[in-house]
Amino acid sequence: MAADAVLTTNPDTGYDLWYSGQHHAYGGSVQVLADPTGLPLWVSAVRPGSTHDLTAAHELVLPALYPHAARGLPVLADKGYTGAGVGIHVPIKHQPDGPLHTDNRTYNYLITALRAPAERANALLGRWRALGRVTVCPLRISAIAAAALVLTSLDRGMR
């Protein structure tokens, strides 16, 4: 099965599914949900590196978040999640016709400032060297990410 996972090509493009054009490297994509203090709460199963963040989010996490976001729970994300739907707050992208309006820049500043502590979750998970350079079957990344989540939670509870 490992060989099948590594040699999988996208039928639409013919490119390797596990190759990320954005990062110019092979790998997988793991979605992370964090609380406002930066504690990771959940990690997704791995998706091929060529999978866009928004596509992975639509498949894995957004259906569970929409009911809460519709009731007013703010869900903050980066610009990669633009168009995610109701209740998902992302910074406004810069338009080529000139600088953003002051109101939009202020909104972006607030979203970024509110998201900053939660970005700590990615840093906490990223400190586990096992996630840095995975040389096993890409499908094993899910188990490694889940283990990193558990170890991070245990480490946080001991402090």
Side-chain angles (χ1 to χ4, degrees), residues 42-59:
W42 175 84
V43 293
S44 73
V46 68
R47 289 292 184 256
S50 64
T51 305
H52 189 276
D53 284 344
L54 186 56
T55 303
H58 275 297
E59 294 172 4

Side-chain angles (χ1 to χ4, degrees), residues 6-60:
V6 175
L7 298 175
T8 307
T9 58
N10 184 337
D12 297 331
T13 64
Y15 293 112
D16 191 323
L17 278 175
W18 294 96
Y19 183 78
S20 170
Q22 178 183 359
H23 299 289
H24 303 288
Y26 287 89
S29 172
V30 176
Q31 301 292 304
V32 178
L33 282 180
D35 72 4
T37 67
L39 179 66
L41 301 173
W42 175 84
V43 293
S44 73
V46 68
R47 289 292 184 256
S50 64
T51 305
H52 189 276
D53 284 344
L54 186 56
T55 303
H58 275 297
E59 294 172 4
L60 301 167

Side-chain angles (χ1 to χ4, degrees), residues 64-82:
L65 289 177
Y66 283 141
H68 304 290
R71 287 194 310 247
L73 175 71
V75 177
L76 307 177
D78 63 27
K79 290 179 185 178
Y81 296 87
T82 299

Side-chain angles (χ1 to χ4, degrees), residues 67-140:
H68 304 290
R71 287 194 310 247
L73 175 71
V75 177
L76 307 177
D78 63 27
K79 290 179 185 178
Y81 296 87
T82 299
V86 173
I88 312 299
H89 302 282
V90 297
I92 297 168
K93 290 185 177 183
H94 182 267
Q95 300 298 320
D97 59 347
L100 287 175
H101 188 271
T102 305
D103 292 345
N104 293 338
R105 287 197 312 263
T106 303
Y107 174 81
N108 285 355
Y109 178 78
L110 288 171
I111 293 291
T112 303
L114 291 170
R115 268 189 60 244
E119 281 295 317
R120 183 170 177 263
N122 292 326
L124 286 172
L125 291 171
R127 72 187 172 116
W128 298 103
R129 296 180 86 187
L131 286 172
R133 297 277 183 216
V134 179
T135 57
V136 297
C137 171
L139 299 176
R140 302 278 316 265

